[in-house]
Amino acid sequence: MKAIIATALLIGLTMGTPLKAQSVASDHVALPETYRSEVHFSTYKRGGITEELFASQQAIEAAKAGSPFPEGTVVTMEDFREGSLYRVLVMEKRAEWQGQSLSGNWRFGVYWPDGKPNLAEDLQRCESCHASAADRDHVFRKEDMLDD
């Protein structure tokens, strides 16, 4: 009987871990209320998807200087599908996250258009994809920040 209970607890903990890890990451990476007042630095279209990207002036200046993004940098992306806002993705850089992410010290959050966290999103997918952009401090479209 104890073995059955222990097994049930182990399965429950194992199955609950991915969702908990995602909710923790989303809780740490907040959706900035005023991200649209930041610098709009890129519109990227691929198929039926349009991505609108925003970052602070400090992030733009760091990119232009060829420097790493400063502590606390937030990059926000609106993801439009067929002309409607589908979701908002946020990545944030903090020194305390070094070694906790496949993409340096960046963590990610995904939000629905109403601003509520999308806890079903696989944030490790974000990390592993952005890990391939290490030469750009893990930020895709960094080169778009160089345009005036």
Side-chain angles (χ1 to χ4, degrees), residues 51-105:
E51 300 170 345
E52 302 289 350
L53 290 105
F54 302 86
S56 68
Q57 186 61 44
Q58 294 83 0
I60 303 297
E61 290 170 7
K64 288 182 177 184
S67 301
F69 290 107
E71 169 78 9
T73 294
V74 175
V75 178
T76 308
M77 183 180 84
E78 294 179 328
D79 175 1
F80 289 86
R81 308 277 172 109
E82 300 177 11
S84 296
L85 182 60
Y86 174 67
R87 62 188 178 164
V88 180
L89 298 94
V90 183
M91 60 186 293
E92 183 176 350
K93 182 178 185 179
R94 291 191 194 171
E96 65 198 69
W97 293 336
Q98 185 66 40
Q100 296 179 18
S101 172
L102 298 172
S103 53
N105 46 352

Side-chain angles (χ1 to χ4, degrees), residues 9-123:
L9 284 172
L10 182 60
I11 290 170
L13 288 172
T14 302
M15 292 179 72
T17 298
L19 181 59
K20 181 63 178 166
Q22 290 170 9
S23 88
V24 168
S26 290
D27 289 345
H28 285 96
V29 179
L31 175 62
E33 290 182 26
T34 60
Y35 73 87
R36 286 189 182 115
S37 67
E38 300 285 340
V39 178
H40 174 265
F41 69 89
S42 183
T43 298
Y44 186 71
K45 295 183 180 192
R46 53 190 166 99
I49 300 172
T50 301
E51 300 170 345
E52 302 289 350
L53 290 105
F54 302 86
S56 68
Q57 186 61 44
Q58 294 83 0
I60 303 297
E61 290 170 7
K64 288 182 177 184
S67 301
F69 290 107
E71 169 78 9
T73 294
V74 175
V75 178
T76 308
M77 183 180 84
E78 294 179 328
D79 175 1
F80 289 86
R81 308 277 172 109
E82 300 177 11
S84 296
L85 182 60
Y86 174 67
R87 62 188 178 164
V88 180
L89 298 94
V90 183
M91 60 186 293
E92 183 176 350
K93 182 178 185 179
R94 291 191 194 171
E96 65 198 69
W97 293 336
Q98 185 66 40
Q100 296 179 18
S101 172
L102 298 172
S103 53
N105 46 352
W106 292 90
R107 291 182 101 185
F108 301 84
V110 181
Y111 294 84
W112 295 114
D114 65 2
K116 292 181 181 168
N118 176 352
L119 299 178
E121 197 72 42
D122 181 3
L123 300 177

